[in-house]
Amino acid sequence: FPVSVVLPAGGTGERTGLQTPKQFCTFLGRPLISYTIQAFESIPWIQSIVVAVAKENMDLMTDIIQRFKHRKVRAVPGGSTRHRSICNGVLALGEEERPAVGRPKVVIIHDAVRPFVEEDFLYKIAMAAKEQGAAGAIRPLVSTVIATTSEGYLDHSLERAKYRASEMPQGFTYDVISQAYQRCSESDFEFGTECLHLALQYCGTNAKLIEGPPTLWKVTYKRDLAAAESIIKETLS
Ligand code: C5P
C-alpha cells in the first residue's frame, strides 16, 4: 500500500539558542534534516516525502534537496505553528502532480529533528495505521509530571507508571489525517500539539500506541546537537 511522509521542519529552533534552526545544523558536511530524509528515502516502500519549511529557509531546503540528491522529496511552505506546517504537508500530498505517485493510503508524520528512526519501527507504525486508522510511538516517562498552581506551588502530581510520553513517528490513513485537519478549529491549529488527539476528536479514530526505541529521541537543546553528532560519527564509521 502506498505510504508517504510529512516532515514538519518549519521551526526556528528557539530552544537551542542558536542562529541556525537545529534541523539545518551540519554534521560531517550534511545538515541534520538530510540524515532524517535519508532514513526515509532509503526505504523502498516509502513513495514520497514532503518537507514543510519556513519561507525564509525555502532556498536553503531547495539547495539541500539538490545537493544531496533527495529524489523523493518536495518542499512546501511551513506554517506559524507545528500543526499548520503538518497540515500544509498533508494537503500537498493530496495535490501530488507526478503521475507515478498516487495519493497515499498511509501518511507517516515525523519530526525533521529525529534522524535516528529505523525501518522496522516505521513498518510497525505504518501497518497499525493502515489497520486502525491511526498509530503513534510512545516512550516511558523519564520524569514525573506535576501540575503547578499559578503561585508556583505543587497542585498535584501524576502517577508516573500510568502515563507515557507521546513521541514520533505517528501514522494515519490519508483519509483520517486530512479530515482531522479539515474539521479542526483555529485554536487546535494555534495551541494543539497532538495529531493523535485530532484524529480521535474529529474522526473518532483511536490510535494504536506502540512503544518505540530510545533512538526516537528528538534533538531539542544545544547539548542534543553534540549527542547527535557523536551518534552520526559512530554509525558512519
Ligand atoms: O519545537 P519542537 O522541537 O517541538 O518542533 C518539532 C518539529 O516541528 C520540528 O521539526 C520543527 O521544525 C517543527 N515545526 C514546524 N513548524 C512550526 C514549528 C515547529 O514544522 N511552526
Side-chain angles (χ1 to χ4, degrees):
F1 56 98
V3 180
S4 292
V5 177
V6 172
L7 297 178
T12 47
E14 279 151 22
R15 276 177 291 178
T16 48
L18 298 170
Q19 288 293 326
T20 312
K22 54 205 169 179
Q23 61 272 30
F24 298 116
C25 289
T26 299
F27 304 99
L28 306 183
R30 190 191 268 263
L32 192 64
I33 191 167
S34 179
Y35 289 99
T36 312
I37 291 171
Q38 183 58 37
F40 286 96
E41 211 164 35
S42 63
I43 299 174
W45 49 267
I46 287 181
Q47 62 167 8
S48 67
I49 301 162
V50 170
V51 185
V53 290
K55 285 200 178 71
E56 64 260 37
N57 292 317
M58 193 52 96
D59 288 346
L60 176 59
M61 192 64 228
T62 308
D63 180 57
I64 292 169
I65 291 172
Q66 284 169 0
R67 195 147 39 103
F68 297 98
K69 299 189 171 57
H70 291 309
R71 296 185 208 290
K72 294 185 189 175
V73 180
R74 207 154 43 109
V76 299
S80 54
T81 65
R82 185 168 175 278
H83 269 315
R84 289 194 194 279
S85 294
I86 296 172
C87 181
N88 289 356
V90 171
L91 290 178
L93 288 176
E95 294 154 6
E96 176 60 66
E97 282 158 10
R98 290 168 292 180
V101 182
R103 182 173 285 189
K105 170 78 182 160
V106 165
V107 180
I108 292 177
I109 299 169
H110 190 69
D111 290 323
V113 288
R114 297 178 193 250
F116 306 114
V117 62
E118 286 165 16
E119 179 175 358
D120 56 351
F121 190 71
L122 285 168
Y123 187 74
K124 284 185 194 165
I125 291 286
M127 286 303 286
K130 179 173 165 264
E131 278 154 25
Q132 313 283 328
I138 51 168
R139 290 280 306 151
L141 289 181
V142 287
S143 306
T144 298
V145 176
I146 59 172
T148 58
T149 65
S150 53
E151 294 82 29
Y153 292 94
L154 176 68
D155 186 343
H156 63 276
S157 62
L158 301 182
E159 192 185 327
R160 185 156 61 172
K162 269 195 187 169
Y163 292 86
R164 297 289 178 272
S166 177
E167 306 280 348
M168 288 278 154
Q170 295 178 350
F172 303 86
T173 59
Y174 175 82
D175 291 345
V176 164
I177 193 67
S178 56
Q179 278 169 24
Y181 277 119
Q182 274 162 32
R183 293 173 187 167
C184 76
S185 66
E186 280 299 304
S187 80
D188 289 314
F189 273 117
E190 289 306 316
F191 305 112
T193 55
E194 190 50 82
C195 302
L196 298 179
H197 183 78
L198 297 184
L200 181 59
Q201 189 175 349
Y202 293 102
C203 303
T205 302
N206 203 345
K208 172 75 179 158
L209 302 174
I210 308 175
E211 185 164 331
T215 45
L216 293 180
W217 140 86
K218 180 172 62 156
V219 175
T220 304
Y221 299 106
K222 211 170 182 173
R223 64 169 183 268
D224 295 327
L225 294 172
E229 179 163 31
S230 76
I231 296 173
I232 288 169
K233 278 186 181 152
E234 250 172 55
T235 51
L236 289 184
S237 61

